[in-house]
């Protein structure tokens, strides 16, 4: 065994060691305080038509460095982000010819660590064709895991809670309600979150995914070893092809003594490069409404031929009026452009969509003029039907139209199997397509909210026009009868899994919980107060008020949606357990207002939330939207109460959450009238 190199986190609790075995194989292991979190884990690659890069190395050099700085998010969960790490770089070279060289970079923070491979320019090696990356994470026990299968095409599976030995991704094949799915092996998608027997929380993911294939993690149920398994292509013998020099994405492990710390971690964004776009003042975080939910309910349709087209000029103006009257900044219109009659269920989907030509009953220019008159922004919609070559042919034309109209946000979609056949949503070919869309959009001052996307890996730091994405089982599943929609524990799980990757366009705020009269066989499996709390719990700089306007009109609970912020100065996770409950408080950027959201699974809970984050010496008015008497996600989901009290930083709120329930709180500096009129919270 070669010399053992060690690096610790700035605070000293997290340690990582690296060495070469007697066979010259790179290995590492890690500890948190006195607990081993990863045992000896190997690093390397299998190549196409070339010897593997797994052993036979010698260490030629190593170096360390440290950084401690602060950078500012143009929008996000907080304004300032501390970027404090220690770094170890190890250079290795094959002993036998052709003496290929590789660097391994380990970057360790107090909240976890990341590492990546670098291939410097070298004689005789111009291109690598990677058949498989063999990065290992050797777990030290049969941890509890929250996982979705390593599907190469979609992330819209429900999370499963099992032991590592109980992970069975292959049992999730042939899902009856997914537009596309491909699960080749017993692997999981990332982020995958785990809890050890002694309560330590771990989450495995990747950061800065660029010109590379998405990583799933192959699971050995007997040894508890996770091994990288890259998404492939049926059109090439390799999974990744790169010219030298290049580096891989970061492989990441977030570490926290409790679940709350995972959400507060900034590891993923910190491992990305700084902002390359400069000032993106043309994008403003916002709430929006739109022509969307009514199609999922069957009230209207995307296509014009059905006779119940939703995206008409008249209907769009109705939503614009509603937005203008209710402090909603933007309106999304789906189904505005020609092609929807042939978009799904067809093999010949290339050339179907036109991204500049509206249906004859939708006057795009007039709708935009009307929105501008009302002070409302429009959000463009580009569904590609998973035909990215068609989209790329029209990117400049489509974004030039948006620029001319002053539209700065687009929701993209990729429903269906990718054309050309043999490519998958999460492979290198599509990763590069998604990046091309993002970079082209930036040239036209357009921000992208991607659906059916590649997973978030913190690219929003480098390209802050990557504002949000789907990449999970969303709200629309509640309008579909198969499997009965999302269970009450779905979002208390998502907060500690998918949300660790980045912002989520979940589309919360449904008030008509039983979906009558449109979908009486389906329902929303939460209470109304739970839906309100999601505006704080599930982060996105674009938050939809997803229900039909008529379900909000004259509803007192809608006041919370009118008031809740979307851009934050700071965020604090007050409590939480994966899959059970979570409470988050966020301070609105540029104001003294705070908002608090708390949600639970199917279990009724009483939680406490200290308000010690409020400024000293200030009284606040707390407006509490909570579950009412007898509230229950199934039996009585609409029961709610609104109460107001005086509070300060010494106050501890008691949050009584119904089964599937929640609490949402607005906290704003108290006026003299508030102090005279309101009771102090006891």
């Amino acid at each position: 065994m070669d010399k053992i190199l060690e690096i610790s986190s700035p605070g000293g609790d997290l340690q990582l060691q690296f060495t070469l075995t007697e066979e010259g194989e790179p290995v590492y292991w890690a500890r948190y305080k006195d607990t081993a979190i990863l045992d000896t884990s190997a690093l390397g690659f299998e190549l196409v038509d070339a010897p593997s890069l797994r052993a036979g190395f010698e260490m030629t050099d190593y170096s360390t460095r440290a950084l401690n700085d602060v950078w500012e998010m143009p929008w996000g969960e907080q304004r300032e982000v501390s970027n404090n790490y220690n770094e170890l770089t190890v250079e290795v070279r094959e002993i036998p010819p052709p003496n290929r060289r590789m660097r391994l970079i380990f970057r360790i923070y107090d909240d976890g660590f990341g590492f990546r491979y670098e291939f410097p320019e070298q004689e005789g090696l111009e291109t690598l064709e990677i058949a498989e990356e063999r990065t290992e994470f050797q777990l030290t026990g049969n941890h509890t895991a929250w996982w979705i299968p390593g599907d190469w095409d979609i992330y819209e599976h429900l999370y499963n809670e099992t032991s590592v030995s109980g992970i069975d991704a292959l049992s999730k094949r042939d899902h009856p309600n997914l537009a596309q799915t491909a699960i080749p092996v017993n692997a999981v998608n990332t982020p995958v979150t785990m809890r050890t027997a002694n309560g330590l929380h771990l989450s495995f993911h990747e950061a800065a995914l660029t010109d590379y294939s998405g990583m799933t993690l192959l699971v050995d149920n007997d040894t508890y070893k996770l091994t990288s398994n890259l998404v492939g292509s049926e059109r090439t013998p390799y999974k990744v092809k790169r010219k030298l020099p290049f580096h891989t994405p970061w492989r990441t492990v977030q570490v926290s003594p409790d679940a709350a710390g995972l959400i507060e971690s900034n590891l993923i964004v910190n491992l990305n490069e700084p902002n390359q776009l400069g000032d993106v003042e043309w994008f403003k975080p916002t709430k929006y409404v739109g022509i969307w939910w009514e199609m999922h309910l069957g009230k209207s349709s995307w296509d014009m031929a059905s006779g119940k087209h939703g995206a008409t000029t008249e209907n769009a103006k109705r939503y614009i009026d509603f937005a203008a009257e209710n402090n909603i900044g933007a309106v999304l219109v789906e189904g505005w452009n020609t092609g929807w009659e042939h978009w799904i269920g067809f093999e010949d989907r290339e050339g179907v969509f036109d991204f500049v030509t509206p249906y004859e009953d939708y006057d795009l220019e007039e709708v935009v003029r009307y929105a501008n008159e009302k002070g409302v922004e429009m959000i463009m919609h580009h569904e590609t039907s998973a035909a990215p070559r068609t989209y790329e042919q029209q990117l400049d034309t489509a974004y030039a139209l948006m620029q001319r109209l002053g539209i700065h946000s687009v929701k993209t979609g990729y429903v269906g199997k990718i054309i050309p056949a043999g490519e998958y949503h999460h492979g290198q070919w599509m990763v590069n397509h998604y990046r091309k869309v993002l970079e082209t959009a930036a040239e036209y001052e357009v921000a992208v909210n991607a659906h059916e996307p590649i997973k978030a890996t913190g690219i929003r730091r480098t390209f802050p026009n990557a504002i949000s994405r789907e990449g999970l089982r969303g709200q629309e599943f509640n309008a579909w009868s198969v499997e009965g929609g999302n269970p009450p524990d779905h979002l208390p799980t998502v907060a500690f899994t998918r949300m660790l990757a980045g912002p989520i366009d979940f589309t919360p705020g449904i008030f008509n919980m039983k979906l009558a009269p449109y979908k009486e066989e389906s329902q929303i499996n939460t209470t109304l107060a739970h839906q309100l709390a999601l505006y704080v719990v599930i982060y996105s700089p674009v938050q939809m008020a997803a229900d039909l306007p008529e379900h909000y009109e004259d509803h007192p609970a809608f006041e919370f949606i009118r008031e809740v912020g979307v851009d934050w100065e700071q965020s604090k996770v007050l409590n939480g357990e994966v899959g059970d409950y979570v409470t988050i408080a966020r301070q609105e950027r540029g104001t003294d207002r705070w908002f608090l959201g708390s949600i639970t699974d199917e279990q009724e809970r009483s939680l406490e939330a200290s308000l010690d984050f409020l400024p000293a010496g200030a009284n606040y008015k707390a407006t509490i939207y909570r579950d009412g008497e007898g509230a229950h996600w199934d039996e009585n989901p609409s029961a709610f109460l609104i109460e107001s009290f005086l509070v300060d930083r010494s106050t501890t709120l008691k949050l009584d959450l119904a089964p599937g329930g929640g609490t949402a709180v607005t906290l704003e500096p108290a006026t003299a009238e508030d102090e005279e009129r309101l009771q102090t919270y006891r």
Side-chain angles (χ1 to χ4, degrees):
M1 182 175 288
D2 210 322
K3 179 178 181 179
I4 296 176
L5 305 178
E6 179 171 321
I7 189 168
S8 298
S9 61
D13 287 342
L14 193 56
Q15 304 96 35
L16 185 145
Q17 290 80 33
F18 171 86
T19 194
L20 297 176
T21 66
E22 292 181 0
E23 294 75 27
E25 182 180 31
V27 296
Y28 75 100
W29 57 100
R31 300 179 65 83
Y32 179 78
K33 295 184 177 178
D34 296 325
T35 302
I37 54 174
L38 291 176
D39 211 336
T40 305
S41 303
L43 303 167
F45 295 88
E46 302 288 351
L47 304 178
V48 176
D49 297 330
S52 66
L53 285 163
R54 299 187 67 180
F57 289 102
E58 63 177 351
M59 195 183 309
T60 59
D61 198 7
Y62 69 92
S63 61
T64 61
R65 74 181 185 107
L67 181 72
N68 185 9
D69 69 359
V70 174
W71 57 277
E72 186 168 312
M73 287 185 165
W75 50 265
E77 303 94 320
Q78 61 198 84
R79 186 170 59 84
E80 292 187 338
V81 179
S82 172
N83 190 19
N84 185 12
Y85 62 81
N86 293 324
E87 183 177 279
L88 168 68
T89 298
V90 185
E91 300 198 16
V92 298
R93 179 181 60 196
E94 283 182 309
I95 297 173
N99 308 122
R100 294 171 295 182
R101 292 183 290 120
M102 181 172 68
R103 294 192 192 102
L104 295 153
I105 297 90
F106 299 90
R107 194 172 288 179
I108 188 163
Y109 296 76
D110 287 334
D111 55 342
F113 62 88
F115 58 89
R116 71 183 182 191
Y117 306 83
E118 288 189 359
F119 290 92
E121 192 171 356
Q122 49 196 284
E123 187 176 347
L125 187 61
E126 295 182 356
T127 302
L128 278 189
E129 293 188 357
I130 299 171
E132 192 58 81
E133 181 185 320
R134 299 294 185 190
T135 299
E136 295 179 355
F137 304 88
Q138 178 59 66
L139 305 177
T140 57
N142 191 17
H143 308 328
T144 300
W146 289 268
W147 58 274
I148 56 174
D151 196 320
W152 288 9
D153 248 343
I154 205 162
Y155 304 114
E156 295 181 352
H157 294 265
L158 283 174
Y159 278 88
N160 306 272
E161 179 183 346
T162 71
S163 61
V164 173
S165 64
I167 293 174
D168 183 6
L170 298 182
S171 68
K172 307 304 176 183
R173 285 174 167 171
D174 303 319
H175 192 286
N177 208 23
L178 294 178
Q180 67 278 338
T181 182
I183 306 172
V185 293
N186 186 35
V188 296
N189 264 316
T190 66
V192 56
T193 296
M194 299 184 186
R195 184 179 63 221
T196 69
N198 62 1
L200 194 65
H201 288 72
L202 311 172
S203 188
F204 300 84
H205 191 39
E206 59 181 316
L209 173 56
T210 299
D211 195 8
Y212 206 82
S213 188
M215 180 183 72
T216 71
L217 292 174
L218 187 69
V219 179
D220 188 320
N221 300 111
D222 298 321
T223 65
Y224 318 138
K225 180 187 292 182
L226 310 177
T227 305
S228 58
N229 188 261
L230 302 178
V231 175
S233 166
E234 295 171 18
R235 300 199 301 156
T236 64
Y238 53 82
K239 292 186 172 182
V240 170
K241 183 176 182 178
R242 291 292 305 270
K243 289 184 177 180
L244 276 63
F246 78 95
H247 55 72
T248 70
W250 296 93
R251 281 58 189 99
T252 65
V253 184
Q254 287 163 278
V255 183
S256 175
D258 56 29
L262 292 178
I263 300 176
E264 293 187 335
S265 167
N266 287 308
L267 180 71
I268 303 302
V269 287
N270 270 331
L271 285 168
N272 279 264
E273 295 300 316
N275 183 353
Q276 291 185 8
L277 302 184
D279 189 354
V280 289
E281 54 82 25
W282 39 265
F283 167 69
K284 297 289 190 296
T286 189
K287 291 167 283 190
Y288 70 101
V289 293
I291 301 172
W292 175 76
W293 188 240
E294 61 182 71
M295 280 87 98
H296 290 289
L297 294 177
K299 178 186 178 185
S300 66
S301 68
W302 285 271
D303 66 280
M304 189 174 172
S306 65
K308 52 178 184 178
H309 189 214
T312 66
T313 303
E314 180 183 10
N315 200 24
K317 287 184 174 182
R318 182 172 73 96
Y319 278 88
I320 291 167
D321 287 340
F322 179 80
E325 294 165 2
N326 290 285
N327 194 32
I328 306 293
V331 171
L332 166 74
V333 177
E334 293 198 8
W336 68 275
N337 59 320
T338 58
W340 287 91
E341 290 81 5
H342 199 79
W343 79 287
I344 195 168
F346 299 90
E347 293 299 321
D348 56 334
R349 287 172 280 118
E350 288 196 299
V352 167
F353 278 116
D354 182 328
F355 301 101
V356 298
T357 305
Y359 279 117
E360 61 187 42
D361 61 350
Y362 185 74
D363 188 333
L364 175 61
E365 304 269 350
E366 170 58 18
V367 168
V368 172
R369 183 205 65 78
Y370 189 77
N372 289 338
E373 181 182 286
K374 295 285 187 174
V376 173
E377 295 185 13
M378 296 303 297
I379 299 175
M380 183 57 79
H381 184 241
H382 292 163
E383 173 56 57
T384 69
S385 66
R389 292 184 297 203
T390 295
Y391 193 35
E392 288 188 13
Q393 289 166 5
Q394 300 181 54
L395 277 180
D396 285 292
T397 304
Y399 290 146
L401 172 65
M402 290 180 60
Q403 188 176 52
R404 179 175 68 80
L405 295 173
I407 299 175
H408 292 289
S409 299
V410 63
K411 174 183 174 182
T412 59
Y414 295 84
V415 174
K417 297 291 289 184
I418 295 294
I419 299 173
E423 295 295 345
Y424 295 91
H425 282 72
H426 309 153
Q428 184 184 19
W429 192 80
M430 278 301 293
V431 167
N432 288 340
H433 165 78
Y434 291 119
R435 182 60 57 83
K436 181 175 183 178
V437 170
L438 196 62
E439 292 178 347
T440 305
E443 294 174 10
Y444 292 91
E445 297 188 341
V446 170
V448 179
N449 170 13
H451 282 231
E452 295 79 41
I454 186 60
K455 58 189 169 183
T457 60
I459 293 297
R460 59 180 168 133
R461 180 185 180 189
T462 312
F463 295 95
N465 67 322
I467 51 173
S468 195
R469 68 189 73 203
E470 189 186 39
L472 84 165
R473 185 178 163 112
Q475 183 82 274
E476 65 270 21
F477 277 81
N478 292 319
W480 306 337
S481 59
V482 175
E483 294 185 345
N486 301 327
D489 68 352
H490 181 53
L491 291 165
T493 305
V494 163
F496 298 98
T497 51
R498 160 65 182 87
M499 197 170 77
L500 303 183
I504 300 172
D505 187 31
F506 182 75
T507 60
I510 304 301
F511 279 18
N512 179 26
M513 315 304 289
K514 295 294 186 179
L515 308 184
Y518 305 105
K519 287 284 189 79
E520 297 190 36
E521 73 280 7
S522 303
Q523 67 178 55
I524 309 298
N525 296 320
T526 73
T527 68
L528 187 149
H530 183 121
Q531 289 290 306
L532 295 179
L534 295 179
Y535 287 90
V536 183
V537 170
I538 302 299
Y539 172 68
S540 176
V542 285
Q543 288 279 29
M544 189 178 200
D547 211 339
L548 308 182
E550 53 265 37
H551 296 149
Y552 293 137
E553 290 171 355
D554 300 322
H555 200 303
F558 188 62
E559 183 63 20
F560 183 79
I561 297 178
R562 288 192 189 98
E563 293 299 319
V564 68
V566 285
D567 196 21
W568 308 110
E569 176 70 21
Q570 57 180 318
S571 297
K572 297 184 178 296
V573 184
L574 306 186
N575 55 53
E577 292 292 345
V578 188
D580 294 338
Y581 62 92
V582 62
T583 306
I584 299 177
R586 305 189 194 268
Q587 182 190 2
E588 186 176 33
R589 196 176 296 201
T591 79
D592 294 323
R593 298 197 302 173
W594 286 77
F595 296 88
L596 182 151
S598 183
I599 59 174
T600 183
D601 60 2
E602 71 281 356
Q603 299 297 320
E604 181 179 11
R605 298 182 194 276
S606 289
L607 304 174
E608 290 189 342
S610 170
L611 303 185
D612 59 3
F613 49 80
L614 294 176
N619 286 332
Y620 270 68
K621 174 187 176 182
T623 305
I624 302 171
Y625 300 77
R626 65 178 181 87
D627 295 315
E629 187 70 28
H632 184 280
W633 66 268
D634 184 26
E635 297 165 8
N636 192 13
S638 298
F640 77 98
L641 288 174
I642 303 176
E643 300 173 313
S644 294
F645 298 95
L646 283 179
V647 298
D648 60 24
R649 63 176 298 141
S650 69
T651 303
T652 297
L653 296 180
K654 183 181 179 185
L655 309 177
D656 292 320
L657 310 181
T663 298
V665 184
T666 299
L667 296 158
E668 52 191 338
T671 65
E673 181 183 352
D674 292 332
E675 295 189 350
E676 182 177 329
R677 181 176 58 88
L678 296 178
Q679 291 184 334
T680 300
Y681 184 89
R682 302 294 183 201

